[in-house]
Amino acid sequence: MQREKIKKNRWKQLHMYYTYTGFYKFIRDGLKSAFLPTALIVGALFYVHYYVININDALTLLTQRYSDLTIFSVFFASESILGLLPPDIWIAWTKNTDYPILYLALLAILSYLGGVVSYLLGKAMLIIPAVNNFMFNKMSKHIANMRKWGGLLIAVGALLPLPFAMAAMAAGMIKFNFKNFLLFALLRLMRFVVYGFAIYQML
């Protein structure tokens, strides 16, 4: 009974901390800012699918024009450098390959490894003072959030349509424990399972 009470108080304290530090507001604002671009991408895909060219035919054409290695390489580069391109496009691409589940798994692993690269890049920046100062100024908000919320921010970045690469880089810049980072970042794999299932149903 005493243990349950302590546990309940701990959760209450954590809830108060995340409320006070603005974590819930950060999630809400992040999802709002991600909603419009996501809606535009989905809307554009539906428009192209019904009025220009069948998406499945377009993705098949993509597989014929570019090698799998090229497509995977571009994806890995994007996931390693600030997550510039939404991974949903690549998830849709895997459905039209000969081995969709295998390719989806490869995407998930590459995305995870891309986060590791971002972490290491963030840590490497500490070696060069000029670059470090520049990036600290550019990413001051992400770094401040990482110091406040740590692993929880990495988990949120891994699961939700928020900039995972930037969260990973910020973790590296503050020297967040690498082993803990690897554990929290594993949630990135779950994102591809869920999004893959949803996108496969749509196409």
Side-chain angles (χ1 to χ4, degrees):
M1 189 71 179
Q2 184 66 23
R3 185 179 297 177
E4 289 180 3
K5 187 176 180 180
I6 293 172
K7 190 175 181 180
K8 187 175 180 181
N9 287 335
R10 176 168 171 75
W11 280 111
K12 187 176 180 180
Q13 289 171 358
L14 284 172
H15 172 67
M16 290 177 64
Y17 173 76
Y18 292 134
T19 302
Y20 177 74
T21 56
F23 177 73
Y24 300 125
K25 184 178 184 300
F26 169 80
I27 298 296
R28 186 172 62 250
D29 292 345
L31 289 174
K32 281 182 181 178
S33 63
F35 175 78
L36 182 58
T38 302
L40 288 174
I41 291 171
V42 172
L45 287 174
F46 271 103
Y47 178 83
V48 170
H49 182 71
Y50 288 107
Y51 296 103
V52 181
I53 183 175
N54 184 282
I55 289 294
N56 289 311
D57 293 340
L59 292 171
T60 301
L61 183 64
L62 182 67
T63 62
Q64 295 171 349
R65 182 167 295 182
Y66 300 100
S67 69
D68 294 346
L69 180 60
T70 299
I71 295 173
F72 279 126
S73 297
V74 173
F75 173 76
F76 180 65
S78 172
E79 291 293 278
S80 301
I81 307 171
L82 302 182
L84 299 175
L85 300 172
D88 308 340
I89 298 171
W90 277 268
I91 294 175
W93 164 73
T94 63
K95 188 178 184 239
N96 292 272
T97 63
D98 294 332
Y99 310 100
I101 301 302
L102 173 62
Y103 277 30
L104 180 63
L106 287 174
L107 282 186
I109 293 169
L110 286 174
S111 181
Y112 176 79
L113 293 177
V116 174
V117 170
S118 293
Y119 175 94
L120 295 175
L121 284 174
K123 201 167 184 179
M125 288 175 189
L126 300 173
I127 301 172
I128 309 172
V131 175
N132 183 45
N133 292 335
F134 175 79
M135 291 305 295
F136 255 89
N137 289 330
K138 287 291 183 181
M139 296 181 59
S140 58
K141 187 174 181 180
H142 290 281
I143 292 168
N145 289 339
M146 182 59 62
R147 283 177 171 151
K148 285 188 292 186
W149 305 319
L152 194 57
L153 185 61
I154 297 168
V156 167
L159 284 171
L160 300 179
L162 297 172
F164 175 59
M166 294 191 73
M169 187 173 288
M173 293 175 75
I174 68 165
K175 297 182 179 180
F176 186 83
N177 184 277
F178 186 55
K179 289 182 179 179
N180 289 339
F181 169 80
L182 293 176
L183 288 173
F184 283 112
L186 282 173
L187 290 170
R188 189 68 173 171
L189 305 179
M190 187 184 297
R191 183 185 192 278
F192 278 78
V193 173
V194 174
Y195 277 63
F197 177 79
I199 291 174
Y200 281 15
Q201 297 302 312
M202 291 171 57
L203 296 178

